Amino acid sequence: GNYVCYIGDNIFSHPFINHSSYAIVDTSGLPPIETVTAAALSATTERKVSSSFSDYIPDFLKNLIPSSFTQTVQSGYQRVRQAASSVGNFVSGLFNNLISFAKSFVGKVNSDREGNRIFSGGKSQAWCADFVTYCVKKVFGGKLPSDFGSSAVSGLRDWGKRHSCYLEAPFSQGLTAMRNFLKTKVKPGDIMIEKRNGKSHTGIVTYVDPEGKFFKTVEGNASDSVKERTYQADSKTLSGFVSLSQFA
């Protein structure tokens, strides 16, 4: 598939290795060598991965492993860490689950009737915000503040503002600023907000181009269906994003 997992807590327990973190990497479109480097140490910036390979070896084993072996592995470990730091779209833990769960409805929900039944509690209404709310609540559960969720795009945006996790897009500063914003601030799992030029829509970010030229989403009520879409950095309708990182 397009995802490679860096193993850590909550994935499995290995008797000889102290795992301290994990992340899932979206390797879509990456060459094989970049896939390997990205997979190996995708958690370097967000999950406090140690800079030393030996930190993952329990003390009682350290005296049993030849120093030459440890040094060789450490050298490779450092090279992979350095290479991985330049590869974007590190998707960790709950965010990978959120994206996978949201994508599971693609091709399966293809009408307003189905969307309203599943995501809107049977109410006949626009359901893009209901889709986001439903998916996020299902995956994050009690990790979120109790006031999360809205059937309105403006409601999701305002919730982000109340909790200081709304990222306003610098659309008035030009294309260069927008690309820099996308590649440095926006991450897979964020909630896209469109509230400009008459547009009112939302979805879940699934991929951000490393150069900030575009990003991808999965959305509800996209032509009456759950679909994946791509947006360019110069979108005239994009307002910003709600980040859930502080609740993960």
Side-chain angles (χ1 to χ4, degrees):
N2 290 330
Y3 291 89
V4 181
C5 181
Y6 173 75
I7 303 300
D9 293 340
N10 301 321
I11 299 295
F12 73 87
S13 178
H14 191 289
F16 298 141
I17 300 178
N18 293 326
H19 297 298
S20 67
S21 66
Y22 68 95
I24 305 296
V25 187
D26 182 349
T27 61
S28 304
L30 294 180
I33 187 62
E34 291 187 13
T35 295
V36 172
T37 55
L41 285 167
S42 61
T44 52
T45 59
E46 295 188 14
R47 295 292 176 174
K48 299 181 180 178
V49 175
S50 174
S51 61
S52 174
F53 167 77
S54 63
D55 288 347
Y56 295 100
I57 304 175
D59 290 338
F60 76 91
L61 277 179
K62 288 181 178 178
N63 292 332
L64 303 179
I65 299 176
S67 60
S68 59
F69 173 80
T70 302
Q71 291 170 1
T72 298
V73 174
Q74 175 65 23
S75 176
Y77 183 83
Q78 292 288 6
R79 288 198 302 272
V80 171
R81 277 179 59 89
Q82 184 177 5
S85 67
S86 65
V87 180
N89 290 286
F90 300 155
V91 190
S92 59
L94 287 173
F95 296 110
N96 177 69
N97 295 341
L98 173 60
I99 291 168
S100 296
F101 182 65
K103 282 187 175 182
S104 72
F105 294 101
V106 175
K108 297 179 181 178
V109 179
N110 297 300
S111 70
D112 285 337
R113 182 177 180 181
E114 292 175 332
N116 288 152
R117 176 179 62 83
I118 298 172
F119 309 117
S120 306
K123 298 178 182 177
S124 180
Q125 58 191 31
W127 50 279
C128 62
D130 287 336
F131 171 74
V132 170
T133 296
Y134 180 89
C135 291
V136 171
K137 282 188 172 181
K138 282 289 186 181
V139 173
F140 277 72
K143 291 180 177 291
L144 289 169
S146 59
D147 64 338
F148 175 80
S150 176
S151 291
V153 176
S154 59
L156 293 176
R157 178 198 59 194
D158 293 346
W159 180 89
K161 290 181 177 181
R162 287 198 305 274
H163 292 274
S164 301
C165 58
Y166 180 67
L167 309 174
E168 186 82 35
F171 45 84
S172 63
Q173 298 176 28
L175 183 57
T176 299
M178 280 297 298
R179 286 180 173 175
N180 186 61
F181 168 74
L182 288 177
K183 71 181 182 181
T184 61
K185 301 294 185 182
V186 182
K187 298 179 180 180
D190 287 350
I191 299 171
M192 175 198 70
I193 301 293
E194 287 185 290
K195 287 294 288 185
R196 285 201 302 143
N197 295 322
K199 184 77 170 183
S200 183
H201 192 58
T202 186
I204 297 168
V205 177
T206 60
Y207 177 84
V208 182
D209 171 55
E211 296 183 0
K213 293 181 179 179
F214 66 90
F215 64 94
K216 297 180 180 181
T217 64
V218 57
E219 310 168 359
N221 201 22
S223 299
D224 305 331
S225 304
V226 176
K227 292 183 177 180
E228 296 184 70
R229 285 180 167 172
T230 298
Y231 292 82
Q232 302 302 314
D234 60 356
S235 168
K236 301 299 189 238
T237 56
L238 179 65
S239 301
F241 300 83
V242 175
S243 171
L244 301 176
S245 294
Q246 63 181 294
F247 308 109

